[in-house]
Amino acid sequence: MFARFRVLWSPRTVEESEGHGSAKQRPAKRAHNLFEAAAAYVSACAEDDQELIDEAATWVSPEALSFGVNELACRAVIALARERDESPRTVARTLLGLRTG
């Protein structure tokens, strides 16, 4: 019984579910949570992939996507601050090109 759930919930790509490969793999059609949507949306923005930006924006409500993007930003700034041994404020301001004074 649990193996059946694992198969249902395991991440798959569209190409795997359709039985053929592609140079660019997209997640298969299934319900997405807000963190998956945020991760896909932000990474697509960083890669300037408008198609995936538009797709990820439909996975959850705009409010949920906004919350997920905010949570991702907070976690990223905290991780960079720890890595650089700087304050999160300094890291955030540096990333945005603002004075750190």
Side-chain angles (χ1 to χ4, degrees):
M1 180 173 143
F2 291 111
R4 186 175 179 191
F5 286 115
R6 240 183 275 127
V7 170
L8 290 172
W9 292 104
S10 67
R12 299 179 343 172
T13 62
V14 171
E15 289 74 22
E16 289 172 348
S17 63
E18 293 175 352
H20 53 79
S22 172
K24 198 168 201 176
Q25 294 184 345
R26 299 277 188 214
K29 296 289 183 192
R30 64 176 181 80
H32 298 278
N33 72 37
L34 66 102
F35 296 117
E36 289 175 319
Y41 183 85
V42 170
S43 61
C45 288
E47 296 171 350
D48 198 25
D49 182 346
Q50 190 62 49
E51 183 180 329
L52 185 54
I53 291 169
D54 295 340
E55 181 181 338
T58 67
W59 293 351
V60 294
S61 72
E63 296 81 11
L65 182 60
S66 177
F67 175 82
V69 168
N70 182 60
E71 185 65 22
L72 178 59
C74 290
R75 291 180 187 196
V77 167
I78 289 169
L80 280 173
R82 288 179 181 160
E83 184 179 294
R84 296 177 180 184
D85 197 28
E86 296 177 345
S87 73
R89 178 182 170 91
T90 299
V91 169
R93 293 184 65 82
T94 300
L95 289 171
L96 293 172
L98 303 172
R99 290 188 298 125
T100 57

